[in-house]
Amino acid sequence: MTDSERSGESTPVIRKGGGTAATRGRTTIADGVVEKIAGMAARDVVGVHAMGSGLSRTLGAVRDRVPGGGGGKAGVTRGVKAEVGEVQTALDLEIVVDYGVSIADVAGAVRENVIAAVERMTGLEVVEVNIAVSDVKLPDEEEDESESRLQ
């Protein structure tokens, strides 16, 4: 038994062809993949009413109703922009919060949830998550006035 086997340390397996399996190739992750992960993670936070500005949500609602218009794909990434490098990523999110919640608390929770999800799923280091609160949803506001005209 070798010293490393006795101490419980693992040694990387080197195969013919040189190097470990992890060093034999490159994995790239598209911006859209990170945007989807971040969008889903942000929506999971209590107090986040919607993602994106009013205009982008209205345009998205119209696009969702048009056959072949992009449907659910655009909705998940609405309000999310990612810049992805080889080992790091930076994100910009635009959110609408529910009236009465602490914006600072919601932004902090969104930031934590997004960082955890993106780093866990991609292995990328999240260097920053910028959050812009574009609106607050009041309890008596209609969901989307433009949507009701389109129906």
Side-chain angles (χ1 to χ4, degrees):
M1 189 179 259
T2 66
D3 288 337
S4 64
E5 289 173 328
R6 275 188 222 108
S7 67
E9 295 174 16
S10 62
T11 55
V13 177
I14 299 179
R15 309 211 185 273
K16 289 184 179 180
T20 64
T23 62
R24 294 189 201 178
R26 195 170 80 172
T27 302
T28 57
I29 300 171
D31 292 1
V33 171
V34 174
E35 289 168 356
K36 283 183 180 182
I37 295 167
M40 292 298 293
R43 283 172 175 77
D44 284 344
V45 174
V46 174
V48 174
H49 178 75
M51 300 289 296
S53 66
L55 178 61
S56 71
R57 291 192 321 272
T58 300
L59 292 174
V62 171
R63 186 175 31 248
D64 291 348
R65 293 172 191 268
V66 175
K73 171 181 79 163
V76 176
T77 60
R78 188 175 301 131
V80 183
K81 178 68 180 132
E83 291 181 35
V84 180
E86 287 187 31
V87 295
Q88 295 179 324
T89 185
L91 294 146
D92 294 320
L93 283 76
E94 187 174 1
I95 65 173
V96 176
V97 298
D98 291 320
Y99 177 80
V101 301
S102 164
I103 291 174
D105 290 348
V106 170
V110 166
R111 197 170 275 113
E112 286 179 21
N113 213 33
V114 166
I115 290 170
V118 170
E119 288 185 346
R120 179 179 52 81
M121 292 183 68
T122 66
L124 296 168
E125 176 191 6
V126 178
V127 293
E128 68 180 4
V129 177
N130 299 310
I131 299 172
V133 179
S134 63
D135 201 358
V136 62
K137 169 69 172 77
L138 300 176
D140 58 345
E141 279 183 330
E142 293 277 328
E143 192 58 36
D144 263 327
E145 294 173 18
S146 60
E147 276 190 47
S148 61
R149 289 187 299 201
L150 296 173
Q151 292 179 354

